[in-house]
């Protein structure tokens, strides 16, 4: 009986310590080689803030590819180099989108190598405003997985308690 209790305590300690060890490993998830854009739908001629994360000392660039109808913008444009100061401080760029509707591709370059891409859709001002109005703010984490795991653990614990009680009654 005592051996079972000790084994249960050891298993519980392992299950509790495993996520704690993963979360103690610095930034989670790592911010390296990350491209973020402030909006994926923009009005013609609008601006988008682009962040490129990576290891400190890396040279970051943003490459924008447009196939819009505006001939003076169509093609590929690469930004000037910015050096990433720290692992947690990404390089910031401001991208002005074309005046014609369509899509543009944004590629993050670290030390001249493409590491991540994003697509931005250039839409009419009314559509951009509607998309902004329809967007729900994110106010908390997604906890569906945690809730399922909690229910499973509670159910498992209840089942173990019932089996243990029945075995005691049978003895």
């Amino acid at each position: 009986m005592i051996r079972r209790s000790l084994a249960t305590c050891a298993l519980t300690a392992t299950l509790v310590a495993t996520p704690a060890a993963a979360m103690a490993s610095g930034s989670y998830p790592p911010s390296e080689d990350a491209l973020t854009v402030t909006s994926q739908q923009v009005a013609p001629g609008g601006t988008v803030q682009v962040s490129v994360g990576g290891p400190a000392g890396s040279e970051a660039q943003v490459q924008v590819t447009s196939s819009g109808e505006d001939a003076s913008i169509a093609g590929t444009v690469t930004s000037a180099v910015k050096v990433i100061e720290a692992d947690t401080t990404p390089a910031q760029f401001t991208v002005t989108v074309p005046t014609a509707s369509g899509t543009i591709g944004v590629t993050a370059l670290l030390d001249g190598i493409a590491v991540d891409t994003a697509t931005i859709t250039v839409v009419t001002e009314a559509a951009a405003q509607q998309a902004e109005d329809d967007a729900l703010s994110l106010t908390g984490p997604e906890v569906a997985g945690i809730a399922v795991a909690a229910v499973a653990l509670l159910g498992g614990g209840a089942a173990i308690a019932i089996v243990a009680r029945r075995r005691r009654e049978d003895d």
Side-chain angles (χ1 to χ4, degrees):
M1 186 69 166
I2 291 177
R3 278 190 253 185
R4 284 187 195 162
S5 296
L6 290 175
T8 303
C9 288
L11 180 61
T12 302
T14 302
L15 291 174
V16 168
T18 301
M23 293 177 74
S25 67
S27 63
Y28 186 79
S31 63
E32 292 184 20
D33 304 348
L35 169 71
T36 57
V37 294
T38 55
S39 180
Q40 292 183 325
Q41 286 191 348
V42 183
T47 60
V48 176
Q49 296 300 315
V50 178
S51 301
V52 179
S58 296
E59 293 183 346
Q61 288 178 289
V62 172
Q63 189 174 66
V64 178
T65 305
S66 171
S67 60
E69 296 173 15
D70 191 343
S72 66
I73 299 175
T76 300
V77 179
T78 303
S79 71
V81 172
K82 290 187 178 182
V83 176
I84 297 174
E85 300 297 326
D87 288 339
T88 58
T89 308
Q92 301 290 327
F93 299 89
T94 300
V95 175
T96 302
V97 300
T99 57
S101 295
T103 59
I104 63 171
V106 179
T107 303
L109 303 171
L110 282 179
D111 297 325
I113 299 171
V115 293
D116 204 356
T117 60
T119 301
I120 298 172
T121 305
V122 182
V123 297
T124 64
E125 285 193 41
Q129 185 62 40
Q130 184 66 32
E132 193 174 304
D133 292 343
D134 289 345
L136 294 175
S137 62
L138 297 174
T139 58
E142 302 252 348
V143 295
I146 295 171
V148 169
V151 169
L153 286 172
L154 285 173
I160 290 171
I162 291 170
V163 169
R165 176 175 248 157
R166 286 186 181 167
R167 282 189 178 175
R168 272 189 261 151
E169 290 175 359
D170 291 342
D171 289 340

